[in-house]
Amino acid sequence: MLEFFPKIENVRLVRDTATQESSFPLLMKMEKGERFSVEFDVKSRLSNYDLNIIPDDCAEIVIVNGSMVDLNHIQGNCNFAKGFVLRDSVTAPYKVGDKTHYSFYLINNGGDAGLNVLVKQASFLPVVLYVLIVLSLASLCLLLARRLGLGWGLAIVIFAAVVLRMAFFINASYKTFSYDVEGHIGYVQYIVENHSIPGADDCWTCYHPPVYYVAAVPSYLIGEWVGLPGTAGLQAFSLVLSILTLFFGMLFLRNFFSGKALGISSVLWAFWPVMILVSPRIGNDQMFYMLHMLCMWCGMKYIRDGRGRFLIVAVIATALAMWTKATGFVTLGTLVLFMAWGYWVNVRGRKVKCSELVAAGMFLALVVAVVLQRLLGDSGLVGNSGGLNGQLKVRSELFNYIFFDLKNFVTSPFTSAWNDDFGRMYFWNYAFKTSLFGEFEMLRSVVGRNFATLLSCSFLGLLIYALRGFWRTKLQMVHWFLLLQGAAFIAALMFLRITHTYACSNDFRYILPAVICFVPFVAQGITCEGASVKWKVLGYALVSGFVLCTAILFILIM
């Protein structure tokens, strides 16, 4: 099947007269104004394909099998974010046989320089294959959900959520809605090329702990092995982590909720906009989300079933989460709550099991390691904060943390880390907006912005239902657990903004698992005893509208 997909081979970088083997994405330090070229072959049994060219900074000429094409008149030839598309109609006259040789001549306008090339098949056959792959993998997830004991309703929700994630993955460039993506790729490439962990100053994101990057290496290599860019392999790895996060979240919810409350909270968890937005994103956030949710599910399984092996897995997941993102300290606090809760429920009055002793020993070792790391290592939260643009700075006064600009939240569908007009000065405005759309203007069309506005208004309605759920529900241990964890995440985000007064420090992506603390209270607010029929119908309509707007928004993006 892979023979029908174009394959990039023999990538070479030429600087002056020196030639070196390379791979895409290609990025390295160069002098301002330096000219260089990149050569590669595209092998394809089907000759009709387009090339998405992402130059850094400007692509001036391309030579296709010895014939020159001037690129200076093509819009986007200097767009290092999205690049431009070299259509098959332009290159078809120069193609001969099943292999085409390309030589791109570029100039660096400052900073790093390089090139990335993504092949887009223009024939109908790959579309059919993509559809079959999506439906097959989504069906596999549906069967897995049933095997794990989830009902048909939840299994269908998972099926639909996986289809939407995979469709977005197929259509999203690795630079789409990304953060420091070249730094994350450079970290992985360093490990691939040097078989070692880089120093903190070897790349923009190299201050991060290595767990994600080491785990991502196989997907990068597999991507190149099947003839795709290594970035496609990294995106596929993120997609897998996203699906695992989806599963662990639903399994966690099932431990303490049932019926309509479980259905509502699961649907919101599966179709929360930013949960889908991050699914193909390259970076260590997705690894943290998955590990945190694994810790939560295993912790709840231990409390429910009393089996110490689940507690062991929860400790391991916590350790890996802490060596993935600094927010892993919230995971550590979650683990402490699980252990205390588990002791109260399972251990009192009986002999401690061997597996529980092993888990306790591992937990103590983790605490000692964390203390030693904080005392002896670099305790900085954001290792590259010194290099952030000063225009990202925001005010950090008490008013900025307690005021919520309702008008701005409704009238400005998206937010920005650079512009005060979109609410970045206020903690709650920025946290709520980025919990839905990230820091991006996802769509500029009137229709897209209208759906984003509907989502924002729906979110405010969900917030009202969550407050009612908190007020009307008789709080049990699980509710207090969710409240404490949600408060810890919000406090962590607020602490990051206070200590690093940049708008981007306020991004909800750092604490995305906090969504799991919110949606159960929405469900409780809709289904609580004594609620009127009108109140319940309005709640169901609100959830349905929220999910529908999310799906339409992503369809419009694709």
Side-chain angles (χ1 to χ4, degrees):
M1 182 182 71
L2 291 174
E3 293 181 358
F4 289 99
F5 292 87
K7 181 178 181 180
I8 296 178
E9 300 177 331
N10 307 320
V11 181
R12 293 180 295 274
L13 169 67
V14 181
R15 300 177 65 184
D16 294 328
T17 58
T19 302
Q20 67 182 77
E21 299 293 326
S22 188
S23 62
F24 291 127
L26 189 159
L27 193 71
M28 62 175 55
K29 296 288 185 182
M30 289 191 191
E31 296 295 327
K32 184 177 181 179
E34 180 177 349
R35 282 182 159 81
F36 62 101
S37 64
V38 180
E39 302 177 356
F40 60 92
D41 298 320
V42 176
K43 185 177 181 180
S44 175
R45 292 182 62 182
L46 302 174
S47 60
N48 49 335
Y49 57 84
D50 300 331
L51 295 178
N52 184 194
I53 309 300
I54 306 173
D56 197 344
D57 293 295
C58 284
E60 300 178 314
I61 295 171
V62 59
I63 296 178
V64 186
N65 281 342
S67 299
M68 186 182 76
V69 178
D70 187 0
L71 300 176
N72 284 308
H73 67 283
I74 294 180
Q75 186 176 4
N77 72 307
C78 294
N79 188 328
F80 61 84
K82 295 182 179 180
F84 63 97
V85 176
L86 189 61
R87 298 293 180 188
D88 178 73
S89 58
V90 175
T91 59
Y94 314 116
K95 295 178 182 177
V96 179
D98 63 356
K99 182 179 286 189
T100 305
H101 184 76
Y102 296 87
S103 297
F104 279 86
Y105 291 80
L106 305 100
I107 183 173
N108 178 35
N109 291 329
D112 292 342
L115 179 72
N116 195 26
V117 178
L118 303 172
V119 185
K120 295 186 175 182
Q121 190 75 57
S123 66
F124 182 70
L125 179 59
V127 175
V128 175
L129 292 175
Y130 282 136
V131 171
L132 291 175
I133 291 171
V134 169
L135 293 179
S136 298
L137 293 179
S139 298
L140 181 62
C141 290
L142 183 146
L143 295 175
L144 178 59
R146 293 292 296 139
R147 182 67 179 85
L148 293 171
L150 295 174
W152 275 108
L154 295 184
I156 292 172
V157 168
I158 287 178
F159 175 87
V162 170
V163 166
L164 189 56
R165 282 164 170 77
M166 292 191 66
F168 184 53
F169 158 74
I170 290 171
N171 288 279
S173 161
Y174 78 99
K175 284 192 173 184
T176 303
F177 308 127
S178 62
Y179 298 93
D180 299 330
V181 63
E182 303 295 358
H184 294 299
I185 296 169
Y187 199 142
V188 175
Q189 288 178 327
Y190 185 98
I191 297 174
V192 170
E193 295 168 2
N194 298 280
H195 308 290
S196 63
I197 307 300
D201 298 324
D202 286 337
C203 71
W204 177 251
T205 59
C206 285
Y207 68 93
H208 282 297
V211 168
Y212 161 77
Y213 303 96
V214 172
V217 165
S219 63
Y220 183 89
L221 295 175
I222 291 172
E224 292 193 327
W225 179 67
V226 300
L228 299 172
T231 52
L234 294 178
Q235 284 187 283
F237 182 54
S238 293
L239 177 66
V240 171
L241 293 175
S242 173
I243 293 173
L244 290 174
T245 303
L246 171 65
F247 266 97
F248 291 141
M250 281 201 179
L251 291 171
F252 165 79
L253 291 169
R254 187 190 61 172
N255 275 284
F256 286 96
F257 302 97
S258 60
K260 294 178 181 179
L262 174 60
I264 293 170
S265 54
S266 296
V267 166
L268 289 174
W269 171 251
F271 288 94
W272 200 264
V274 83
M275 295 284 291
I276 301 169
L277 185 72
V278 303
S279 56
R281 180 187 293 166
I282 297 173
N284 56 359
D285 292 318
Q286 198 65 256
M287 174 72 84
F288 167 68
Y289 306 152
M290 187 276 292
L291 290 169
H292 183 84
M293 295 313 303
L294 175 59
C295 172
M296 290 185 65
W297 174 56
C298 289
M300 285 299 183
K301 286 290 289 182
Y302 170 65
I303 291 170
R304 289 291 300 270
D305 303 338
R307 287 182 283 184
R309 64 187 182 186
F310 286 107
L311 190 58
I312 292 175
V313 176
V315 175
I316 295 173
T318 300
L320 294 176
M322 296 192 68
W323 290 320
T324 299
K325 294 283 288 185
T327 329
F329 276 98
V330 178
T331 313
L332 180 62
T334 299
L335 179 63
V336 171
L337 290 176
F338 277 133
M339 296 185 75
W341 189 1
Y343 177 84
W344 182 264
V345 173
N346 296 319
V347 180
R348 288 185 308 154
R350 68 161 172 83
K351 186 178 180 180
V352 179
K353 297 177 182 177
C354 180
S355 57
E356 292 170 331
L357 288 174
V358 171
M362 294 171 63
F363 173 74
L364 289 175
L366 172 61
V367 171
V368 171
V370 170
V371 171
L372 290 176
Q373 181 187 30
R374 303 300 290 179
L375 291 176
L376 303 177
D378 181 9
S379 59
L381 282 174
V382 185
N384 60 4
S385 60
L388 292 176
N389 193 311
Q391 294 183 8
L392 292 169
K393 282 274 189 178
V394 290
R395 293 191 300 271
S396 186
E397 301 168 359
L398 179 61
F399 182 74
N400 300 104
Y401 295 95
I402 61 175
F403 178 72
F404 176 64
D405 190 339
L406 178 61
K407 180 181 178 181
N408 182 272
F409 186 83
V410 173
T411 57
S412 299
F414 303 110
T415 191
S416 169
W418 302 89
N419 193 334
D420 291 351
D421 294 337
F422 297 101
R424 70 169 188 159
M425 282 295 174
Y426 306 115
F427 175 84
W428 293 108
N429 280 71
Y430 203 79
F432 288 162
K433 276 295 184 184
T434 55
S435 76
L436 298 173
F437 314 114
E439 296 177 334
F440 308 100
E441 187 177 9
M442 296 175 67
L443 284 169
R444 295 185 177 181
S445 65
V446 174
V447 174
R449 294 174 69 86
N450 286 340
F451 275 107
T453 299
L454 286 174
L455 265 173
S456 297
C457 294
S458 299
F459 170 80
L460 294 175
L462 296 178
L463 187 60
I464 293 172
Y465 273 91
L467 293 173
R468 179 181 173 88
F470 168 75
W471 186 257
R472 294 290 300 272
T473 301
K474 183 178 180 181
L475 298 181
Q476 301 175 356
M477 185 65 76
V478 65
H479 300 110
W480 286 112
F481 171 82
L482 292 172
L483 284 171
L484 287 173
Q485 185 184 207
F489 270 125
I490 294 297
L493 188 64
M494 194 172 289
F495 176 77
L496 182 61
R497 170 158 170 160
I498 292 172
T499 55
H500 298 77
T501 53
Y502 299 93
C504 52
S505 301
N506 199 166
D507 194 335
F508 194 84
R509 70 184 173 98
Y510 297 120
I511 61 165
L512 189 54
V515 172
I516 206 75
C517 306
F518 172 71
V519 294
F521 286 100
V522 176
Q524 298 279 42
I526 295 173
T527 61
C528 61
E529 293 183 7
S532 67
V533 174
K534 290 183 179 179
W535 177 265
K536 291 182 178 181
V537 170
L538 178 61
Y540 291 131
L542 191 64
V543 171
S544 300
F546 185 86
V547 171
L548 183 62
C549 286
T550 297
I552 293 175
L553 188 66
F554 278 92
I555 290 171
L556 291 174
I557 291 172
M558 291 185 282

